[in-house]
Structures are given as C-alpha cells and as structure tokens.
Amino acid sequence: MTDPTVIDRPFVDSPFIDRIAELAAEYDRSAAFPAESLRIAHEAGLLTATIGERYGGRGGGVADTARILHSLGRLDPSVALITAMTLNTHARQAAQPHWPEELYARVVKESLERPVLVNHARVEPDLGSSARGGLPATRARRTADGWAVSGTKRFVTGADGLDWFLVWATTDEAEPRVGTFLVPGGSPGIEVTDRWDQLGLRASGSHDVTFREVEVPYEHVIGIGPHGPAAEQDNRAGAALHLPLAALYLGVARAAQSFFHTFAHARVPANLGHPVARTERFRRTAGEIEVVLAAAEQLVFDGAAKLDAGDTSYTPEQALGARVLADRHGVRAVELAVRLLGNPGLARGNPLERHFRDIQCAPVHAPQEDISLLAIGTKALNP
C-alpha cells in the first residue's frame, strides 16, 4: 500500500509545503483566513489535483485526494478542509460533467493561474444538515435575466476566500424545484453574518453567509429538478467521497502522535534520569496509538484504492464503516496522547492542545455517525 504519511511527489511542486505547518499556530490563534498557506498549496498543485484529464488536469482519484488531505491534515487541517471542498468539486465534475461547459472551462483556466476556491453552501439554520433530508428555505426568485437568490447558509467552509458558492436553493415557481445555483464570490448581496468561532479548525472560516437577492444567470444552475429522494443528498452513494475526509483527520492524529514522540524523547524527569520514552507506560501507549492509526489508515487507503480501481465488490456501506472507524480511532489516538502527557498536553501554545481541539471536528461532518450506522445496519439486516 502507498505510504499515506507523505504526498506523492507528482502532486507536490513546491519545496515550501512544510511552511504551512509553521503558519498553522498563528492562523489558529487569529482565526484569520489562511491565504498564504492556500497560496503554497496552490503552487504545489494541490488545489487542482483532481481536475479531470479531459479538462487538461491531472485527474487525481480518490486515493490521491486522500493522500493529499492526509498530508495537509498533518500540516494544517483548516487548510486541508478548505482544499477538500475544492478538490471534491473538481472530482465530481470529472466523474460526471454537470457544470455549464464554458463556465467550468473558465474556472479551470483561472485555477491554473491562482488559487480558485469552490464550496457548497447547503446547511441552514432551521434545516440543519441536508444529509438528513428536507427542503431548503433559501429561495431562488425567477427574474427577467435569471435568478435572484436569497437565504442564509451555515458553516460555509472558506467563506472569506471562496470564488464560487454552490448554493442549494428552492425556486419560487408554482411547482418548486430544487437545484444548486453557481454564485460568484464577489457578487453584490453576499454577506458573512456570523463568524466561525468554534473549538477546532479555527482558520477554516466556516462562517454563516447570507445571500440577499444575489443575481445568477439563468443557465448557471446545476442539478435542478423536482424535490424528492433523488434530489436530496444520497448518504449511501456519496459515502465513498468521505474517505479522503477521514484521511484528513487521521493526518491530524499523526501530527499529534509526532509531538507525543518528541515529548517522550525530550522529557527527562530528575527522578528517572532518562527520557520517559524508555518507560513501559509510554511505550505501551505509543504502541496503542500506532495500532489504532495504522488500522484506520489501512481501511481508508485500501478502500480508496478499490474505488479508483472500480472494484464493484466494495460497497458504499464499507466506505461509511471505514469513515466511522477512522474518526473514532483518530479521536482515540489523540486522547491517549493528551491523557498521558497530562497538563503539558493541554497547555495553550502546545501543538498537541491544538491537535486535540481540531480532532474533535472529525465526527461532525455529514454523514454523521448515527446516519452512517443506520445505513450500514439496514444493509446488514437486509442484504
């Protein structure tokens, strides 16, 4: 299996990639948009790795995306999460073209010149996660030239720097339709109305965004159609797309493990006279951390490879299960390190404290564990 702890060199063109890790602590403290880190990621070719070959891109698959996000997760998971949203957009377009052809060609051209960030805006204050179904309250009003989109979306990762918001909305027609409206980031009427101030991934800029009569050309809509099961997010069929997200948080856990090892070798209590790394207590915990992370990575990266190979025996439920276990194992690994280090592990300014906060975000992403287990259990009971 390809070593998941490093990015494949064909996807890394910048010798400055490690600079992202150096910037991570300050971005975490300030919660500022990580523009410099994203510029480095762009120069390394990471933001465009999944652009399809038909569009002149590298055509990176699920395994490539997982390796990229795993490595960026070790450096700065906020940067990794913003990157993930853009990579996922390009991957979906490569697999099944659905953007207006001329518009996507423009996005690709600009993406090769500078960082171009894209993300969906789906979650709403009343609706919650779209993974649980429901009709979006955001409305697209038909106008003479296209649509006017109005509504509020929550947790829009990278909001301050997005070039395109993919806004999930309901039309105001007599028979409402639901679709994704392609909204340029600089459009009049877009406002960040509640800033992200969470425990972890503080630089991800996952703000609440309000759209007030934002104009969208008529043809800049994708997937529009009647509302119903087919129009809602399909948690089972889309589960495989979340393997790279699981890899991202395993990268956070690997960063925590790295600090744990450094601490263990550097800490020499006076009553011991040698590093705590030589004690049975630390060696046993180091072993448990390695076991849970290696097992999770095996599940995630092997699953990603099977998807790329078109292995039809690999089911959506297996991908969901890999995601559930990877999240559990990543959280568990970091908790073990923090518990053994005690107060030093929770000291502000300590990288482990930041990794502990960031890893708490792993189980929050849709589909959440209860939805995943429901799908897995339903399949198990009704094979």
Side-chain angles (χ1 to χ4, degrees), residues 19-34 76 202-203 354:
R19 173 66 175 156
I20 294 175
E22 297 172 6
L23 295 167
E26 179 54 36
Y27 278 129
D28 175 76
R29 280 191 291 269
S30 67
F33 181 74
D76 186 339
R202 290 183 49 75
R354 173 162 44 90

Side-chain angles (χ1 to χ4, degrees), residues 54-55 91-99:
R54 75 180 76 185
Y55 304 110
R92 290 189 176 189
Q93 177 68 16
Q96 186 174 359
H98 53 286
W99 280 57

